[in-house]
Amino acid sequence: MDLKHLLLCHLYFRSLITRLKCLLIGQIRKDKYSAGNFIDLAYNATRRNTQASVVKGDLINRVKKDPAFQAWRKKIIAQYKMNPLLKKRLDVFKLGGDKFFSLEGDIELRLSIRGAYINADFVESNGTTTINYSIDDTFDIKQQGGRGTAYNVINGVLEPIWVNFFHGNEDMKVEVRWNETITK
């Protein structure tokens, strides 16, 4: 065994012992950490104590500019203006482009938040309407039913590496929240 492997083993066992100590004395935190890009999300997911990441900054701006989101936003605002009794919309759609394995679209957004639930709540006050948007996703690398064969084959190889080598969280929640004010 060379020095590099010895050092990696030492670091791995040291982090394992630290985690065990925290488990024994109940100090594992389940905090939410912010993420402004894909690297932040990946880093947060390798912190085994991370329950969720809250998207901020550049990544949230990418969501707002995504063509799929823009089309959905336009549609729900038109529906709301035709029927102001519509106070809530919940849909599922794909961010970052049509095809997962493509160089077209926003690759970072596609890797960060792909197929997600998006919710829009309309709140009226003083002649204006605020739309509270929320997106909930899971940052995972897993084989899943309903996904394409290529996706599942690649994740079948990546999942053990992600979990065993990088100590990646298998089901970290990703939360995206923002609001917008519109006038009638």
Side-chain angles (χ1 to χ4, degrees), residues 77-132:
I77 289 175
Q79 289 173 347
Y80 174 76
K81 287 182 176 183
M82 287 177 29
N83 182 6
L85 296 175
L86 239 148
K87 300 291 183 193
K88 189 178 200 83
R89 283 298 305 260
L90 177 66
D91 284 303
V92 177
F93 64 91
K94 295 178 181 172
L95 295 166
D98 291 334
K99 296 180 181 176
F100 189 82
F101 297 106
S102 170
L103 296 177
E104 296 176 11
D106 189 334
I107 296 170
E108 183 172 356
L109 183 58
R110 191 168 43 237
L111 290 171
S112 303
I113 310 162
R114 175 65 177 155
Y117 289 98
I118 183 165
N119 184 53
D121 293 318
F122 295 86
V123 181
E124 294 177 11
S125 176
N126 300 329
T128 62
T129 302
T130 301
I131 307 172
N132 297 312

Side-chain angles (χ1 to χ4, degrees), residues 35-59:
N37 54 44
F38 173 74
I39 300 299
D40 291 347
L41 282 173
Y43 174 73
N44 289 347
T46 59
R47 300 170 79 166
R48 284 288 212 178
N49 60 346
T50 304
Q51 184 179 21
S53 272
V54 179
V55 172
K56 304 279 184 193
D58 183 51
L59 199 50

Side-chain angles (χ1 to χ4, degrees), residues 2-177:
D2 64 354
L3 185 60
K4 181 180 171 184
H5 286 99
L6 202 58
L7 182 61
L8 284 173
C9 287
H10 171 74
L11 290 173
Y12 173 75
F13 285 115
R14 199 167 98 188
S15 70
L16 185 65
I17 289 169
T18 302
R19 286 189 187 130
L20 286 173
K21 284 180 185 176
C22 289
L23 251 174
L24 291 173
I25 59 175
Q27 288 184 346
I28 290 189
R29 296 173 25 199
K30 297 288 184 184
D31 292 338
K32 296 179 181 181
Y33 295 95
S34 64
N37 54 44
F38 173 74
I39 300 299
D40 291 347
L41 282 173
Y43 174 73
N44 289 347
T46 59
R47 300 170 79 166
R48 284 288 212 178
N49 60 346
T50 304
Q51 184 179 21
S53 272
V54 179
V55 172
K56 304 279 184 193
D58 183 51
L59 199 50
I60 205 166
N61 290 330
R62 287 171 179 260
V63 171
K64 292 177 186 179
K65 292 176 186 174
D66 185 78
F69 171 74
Q70 286 294 319
W72 181 78
R73 177 189 168 276
K74 185 177 178 181
K75 180 179 84 173
I76 65 163
I77 289 175
Q79 289 173 347
Y80 174 76
K81 287 182 176 183
M82 287 177 29
N83 182 6
L85 296 175
L86 239 148
K87 300 291 183 193
K88 189 178 200 83
R89 283 298 305 260
L90 177 66
D91 284 303
V92 177
F93 64 91
K94 295 178 181 172
L95 295 166
D98 291 334
K99 296 180 181 176
F100 189 82
F101 297 106
S102 170
L103 296 177
E104 296 176 11
D106 189 334
I107 296 170
E108 183 172 356
L109 183 58
R110 191 168 43 237
L111 290 171
S112 303
I113 310 162
R114 175 65 177 155
Y117 289 98
I118 183 165
N119 184 53
D121 293 318
F122 295 86
V123 181
E124 294 177 11
S125 176
N126 300 329
T128 62
T129 302
T130 301
I131 307 172
N132 297 312
Y133 295 103
S134 61
I135 297 176
D136 296 302
D137 193 20
T138 304
F139 190 80
D140 60 353
I141 298 178
K142 289 184 181 180
Q143 296 180 21
Q144 300 172 16
R147 301 289 177 126
T149 304
Y151 179 91
N152 282 330
V153 167
I154 289 170
N155 281 339
V157 172
L158 292 179
E159 184 179 4
I161 296 168
W162 175 250
V163 173
N164 297 327
F165 184 72
F166 290 108
H167 310 291
N169 191 336
E170 296 179 74
D171 57 357
M172 182 182 74
K173 302 299 177 202
V174 178
E175 300 173 0
V176 187
R177 309 275 186 265

